[in-house]
């Protein structure tokens, strides 16, 4: 099954505003170019690139009765048409070159509750908050690129 990248976002510093972009370089050292989280170090670090499903965001919005732009979730990539794997070690292939490896679930933080009451809880079940990944193979990605689970 193949989905597509529906959005790309990044933030240059901690708690900084999210910037949506159409295309970006993904590197082994820094994740999404220009994104604060991708270059962070630490052990174990498992948060270079975060992804979330558009359908999960829509479901959370419906549950709380709001319409907040997806990038306010602070995820790097918005995915349509693909159920992201909920298995550590699963690999995602994006566009021609990029490969990401799932390292963990994205646990919604208190910032989600600041956006809208109930949002943190709405993003909690069934990995609805998204997945955290590390870059295995770098390259360029763009909105519209295919994304699939590597077998």
């Amino acid at each position: 099954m193949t989905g597509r990248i529906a959005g790309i976002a990044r933030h240059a510093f901690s708690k900084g505003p999210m910037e949506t972009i159409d295309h970006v370089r993904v590197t082994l050292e820094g994740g999404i170019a220009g994104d604060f989280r991708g270059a962070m170090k630490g052990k174990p670090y498992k948060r270079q690139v975060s992804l979330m499903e558009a359908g999960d965001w829509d479901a959370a919005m419906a549950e709380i009765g709001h319409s907040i732009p997806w990038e306010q979730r602070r995820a790097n990539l918005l995915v349509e048409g693909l159920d992201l794997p909920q298995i550590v070690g699963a690999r995602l292939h994006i566009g021609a070159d990029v490969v990401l490896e799932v390292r963990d679930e994205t646990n919604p933080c208190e910032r989600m509750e600041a956006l809208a009451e109930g949002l943190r809880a709405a993003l909690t079940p069934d990995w609805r908050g998204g997945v955290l990944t590390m870059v295995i193979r770098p390259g360029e990605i763009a909105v519209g690129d295919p994304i699939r689970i590597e077998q």
Side-chain angles (χ1 to χ4, degrees):
M1 178 173 226
T2 301
R4 76 175 197 94
I5 299 299
I8 302 170
R10 63 186 177 189
H11 61 301
F13 54 91
S14 178
K15 298 184 171 93
M18 294 301 288
E19 169 191 24
T20 56
I21 52 180
D22 293 330
H23 62 280
V24 73
R25 177 116 182 106
V26 179
T27 68
L28 293 171
E29 304 79 25
I32 300 287
D35 188 68
F36 164 75
R37 290 272 182 211
M40 288 183 68
K41 303 295 178 214
K43 298 200 191 269
Y45 193 66
K46 41 189 172 179
R47 188 187 179 111
Q48 271 190 312
V49 180
S50 57
L51 299 87
M52 68 177 284
E53 297 173 30
D56 285 345
W57 183 251
D58 292 345
M61 290 297 98
E63 193 171 304
I64 64 168
H66 281 274
S67 181
I68 299 169
W70 76 272
E71 66 272 11
Q72 295 306 306
R73 172 65 188 99
R74 307 192 69 75
N76 295 122
L77 303 178
L78 183 67
V79 176
E80 287 182 338
L82 180 73
D83 288 329
L84 293 170
Q86 298 176 2
I87 301 166
V88 172
R91 291 192 173 188
L92 299 165
H93 191 266
I94 304 173
D97 298 314
V98 173
V99 176
L100 306 176
E101 185 175 272
V102 174
R103 295 288 175 93
D104 207 351
E105 172 182 6
T106 306
N107 294 312
C109 67
E110 65 280 349
R111 294 194 70 175
M112 297 302 100
E113 203 61 20
L115 284 175
E117 185 177 343
L119 180 54
R120 186 176 188 177
L123 289 170
T124 300
D126 197 31
W127 292 46
R128 203 186 258 181
V131 299
L132 301 175
T133 67
M134 293 296 287
V135 179
I136 302 301
R137 195 167 67 212
E140 301 279 335
I141 61 171
V143 171
D145 277 355
I147 179 172
R148 64 179 170 76
I149 301 167
E150 269 198 352
Q151 302 298 336

